[in-house]
Amino acid sequence: AQSVSQHNHHVILSEAASLELGCNYSYGGTVNLFWYVQYPGQHLQLLLKYFSGDPLVKGIKGFEAEFIKSKFSFNLRKPSVQWSDTAEYFCAVTSNTNAGKSTFGDGTTLTVKP
Amino acid sequence: GAGVSQSPRYKVAKRGQDVALRCDPISGHVSLFWYQQALGQGPEFLTYFQNEAQLDKSGLPSDRFFAERPEGSVSTLKIQRTQQEDSAVYLCASSLEEGRSSPLHFGNGTRLTVT
């Protein structure tokens, strides 16, 4: 069975600080990887996704993530966070054996102080 | 509508009552998923539909949980004889295509509280 681990449960940063949120998954086959974000009071929405090709993917609002297959990781990064990035971030994985069913991590709450 | 719509937003049920949660996916989306999200955790898979066919119900925690999507559009998640451990946010998500590469579009969820 696949699983996703997000090591940081709560991260607090000041505006303009750099961000890196960790995500590790356990599955040996072909995977697709996603980061979803949930802003306060809103629904979960897609931030970025990796299917194949360039392991460095760019998403909305200046976010990017790097797929490192050898480390089973898909860490999320942003060079300079803003107060509006305060949200909960979820990493998710799908594989070629489960018909699109996504497995989610437990999320990381990011608080950006103005 | 433009997004996935779920109703009700909040539901309080007394233990033992039956509840029905509704999901109206994005028009034309083939796949529909139900997830359960407990406080402080990520969404946990419950069941998956491709059009009207329920292809995977491996995540339903007990036979008190039942989901349907009879016409391949609106879906209903029913929980019979609710228990306190059923308290959670129930998320519905749809995706345009089948398969692992299609990202999910989520609704706002239904927060169920069983007292």
Side-chain angles (χ1 to χ4, degrees), chain B:
Chain B
V4 177
S5 178
Q6 289 188 248
S7 60
R9 285 295 306 275
Y10 303 93
K11 176 69 180 177
V12 179
K14 290 187 178 179
R15 191 174 59 178
Q17 281 185 331
D18 298 348
V19 299
L21 313 180
R22 177 188 167 104
C23 173
D24 201 338
I26 295 173
S27 178
H29 277 200
V30 169
S31 298
L32 186 145
F33 299 82
W34 283 98
Y35 284 82
Q36 180 189 59
Q37 186 175 18
L39 191 64
Q41 297 183 15
E44 294 277 346
F45 170 82
L46 293 177
T47 187
Y48 160 55
F49 290 87
Q50 185 179 315
N51 296 307
E52 69 278 4
Q54 189 175 20
L55 299 186
D56 187 341
K57 54 182 181 179
S58 62
L60 296 177
S62 78
D63 60 7
R64 297 185 295 104
F65 286 70
F66 171 76
E68 60 183 5
R69 192 186 185 198
E71 297 178 357
S73 178
V74 171
S75 176
T76 304
L77 176 67
K78 298 179 180 177
I79 309 173
Q80 298 177 323
R81 304 181 303 281
T82 52
Q83 304 294 314
Q84 284 193 319
E85 61 263 28
D86 300 335
S87 295
V89 176
Y90 290 86
L91 297 170
C92 176
S94 67
S95 64
L96 182 60
E97 300 170 345
E98 59 185 274
R100 61 187 174 93
S101 61
S102 192
L104 299 174
H105 298 259
F106 283 89
N108 282 318
T110 294
R111 183 178 297 277
L112 172 65
T113 303
V114 181
T115 61

Side-chain angles (χ1 to χ4, degrees), chain A residues 30-32 34 36 38 41-44 46 49 51 90 94-96 98-107, chain B residues 9 33 35 37 40-45 48 55-56 58-59 91 98-108:
Chain A
T30 304
V31 295
N32 293 146
F34 305 82
Y36 290 88
Q38 186 168 23
Q42 297 187 25
H43 60 273
L44 274 163
L46 181 70
K49 59 190 178 187
F51 293 160
F90 292 91
T94 65
S95 71
N96 57 347
N98 64 9
K101 178 174 72 177
S102 296
T103 300
F104 286 81
D106 282 339
Chain B
R9 285 295 306 275
F33 299 82
Y35 284 82
Q37 186 175 18
Q41 297 183 15
E44 294 277 346
F45 170 82
Y48 160 55
L55 299 186
D56 187 341
S58 62
L91 297 170
E98 59 185 274
R100 61 187 174 93
S101 61
S102 192
L104 299 174
H105 298 259
F106 283 89
N108 282 318

